[in-house]
C-alpha cells in the first residue's frame, strides 16, 4: 500500500498544478506512455495529470 508522505516535484510552470515552490499541488499524479509508446527510453512517459494554465 502506498504511503501518503511522498513528494511530487514539478518544474513544468505551464501546468495549473505547479506551485511556486517547485511542488505539484496534486496528492497524486498519473504517469502514462506517450501515444502508446513502449520504447523503454526516458521520453516514453508523460504526466497524464497535466492541465495547462
Amino acid at each position: 500500500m502506498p504511503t501518503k508522505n511522498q513528494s511530487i516535484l514539478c518544474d513544468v510552470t505551464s501546468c495549473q498544478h505547479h506551485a511556486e515552490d517547485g511542488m505539484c499541488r496534486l496528492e497524486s499524479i498519473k504517469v502514462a506512455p506517450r501515444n502508446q509508446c513502449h520504447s523503454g527510453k526516458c521520453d516514453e512517459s508523460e504526466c497524464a495529470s497535466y492541465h495547462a494554465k
Side-chain angles (χ1 to χ4, degrees):
M1 175 164 235
T3 61
K4 291 284 186 179
N5 59 356
Q6 67 187 37
S7 297
I8 302 171
L9 301 174
C10 179
D11 292 332
V12 184
T13 58
S14 63
C15 182
Q16 70 181 15
H17 305 299
H18 176 265
E20 294 300 318
D21 60 359
M23 301 293 288
C24 178
R25 291 187 187 104
L26 294 173
E27 290 185 18
S28 66
I29 63 168
K30 180 178 182 179
V31 177
R34 292 178 14 181
N35 298 320
Q36 301 304 319
C37 173
H38 299 283
S39 66
K41 297 180 181 177
C42 66
D43 63 350
E44 171 184 324
S45 63
E46 63 184 18
C47 179
S49 301
Y50 174 86
H51 289 98
K53 285 185 178 178

